[in-house]
């Protein structure tokens, strides 16, 4: 069994910063692409950023220049540094990871979600 454990959400004023963390643990053979999604009330879940094991990253346009995704492959952990936060960034943020549980089997896992609230 594999678990993704998230931390770092909270309440912050507009213009502030937060850092989210997500660690994969359990029966992990290797962790491939890791990413962050978010879902605001009444909206669909959207991909915010992802990072491949090789270091390729990409972001949704609305966070480019403000958010930075990074990962520590040795710790199977992905981070999301969020700067210059805006009220429209308010959402539940979910970690996502493609985990190889054996050399021939890959499963996509989700974290439990962490709430980010940005006040104006």
């Amino acid at each position: 069994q594999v678990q993704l454990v998230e931390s770092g959400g909270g309440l912050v004023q507009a213009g502030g910063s937060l850092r989210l963390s997500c660690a994969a643990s359990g029966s992990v053979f290797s962790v491939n692409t890791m990413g962050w999604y978010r879902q605001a009330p009444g909206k669909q879940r959207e991909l915010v950023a992802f990072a491949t094991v090789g270091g390729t990253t990409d972001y949704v346009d609305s966070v480019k220049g403000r958010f930075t995704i990074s990962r520590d492959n040795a710790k199977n952990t992905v981070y999301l540094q969020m700067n210059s936060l805006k009220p429209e960034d308010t959402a539940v943020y979910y970690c996502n990871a493609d985990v190889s549980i054996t050399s021939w089997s890959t499963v996509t896992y989700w974290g439990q979600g962490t709430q980010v609230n940005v006040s104006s």
Side-chain angles (χ1 to χ4, degrees), residues 2-5 22-26 28 31 34 75-78 95 97 99:
V2 174
Q3 288 186 321
L4 299 183
V5 180
C22 171
S25 63
V28 176
V31 182
M34 303 185 80
K75 296 181 178 179
N76 292 329
T77 299
V78 65
C95 175
V99 179

Side-chain angles (χ1 to χ4, degrees), residues 1-119:
Q1 190 61 276
V2 174
Q3 288 186 321
L4 299 183
V5 180
E6 303 167 5
S7 61
L11 173 63
V12 65
Q13 289 189 328
S17 298
L18 285 173
R19 188 190 194 214
L20 306 182
S21 300
C22 171
S25 63
S27 302
V28 176
F29 180 77
S30 65
V31 182
N32 307 311
T33 299
M34 303 185 80
W36 290 94
Y37 287 71
R38 66 185 179 187
Q39 187 166 19
K43 294 188 177 181
Q44 288 187 329
R45 189 174 296 189
E46 67 169 350
L47 175 63
V48 176
F50 70 84
T52 69
V53 67
T56 299
T57 61
D58 203 0
Y59 303 85
V60 67
D61 286 346
S62 59
V63 308
K64 285 181 178 178
R66 301 188 297 122
F67 291 10
T68 302
I69 189 170
S70 61
R71 56 187 291 173
D72 184 334
N73 291 331
K75 296 181 178 179
N76 292 329
T77 299
V78 65
Y79 306 95
L80 186 68
Q81 178 66 44
M82 304 185 294
N83 298 329
S84 302
L85 282 160
K86 303 176 180 180
E88 51 264 42
D89 294 318
T90 294
V92 178
Y93 284 70
Y94 297 92
C95 175
N96 168 281
D98 292 330
V99 179
S100 293
I101 55 176
T102 66
S103 60
W104 63 87
S105 179
T106 298
V107 179
T108 298
Y109 289 92
W110 291 89
Q112 78 281 6
T114 185
Q115 180 71 48
V116 171
N117 289 311
V118 184
S119 63

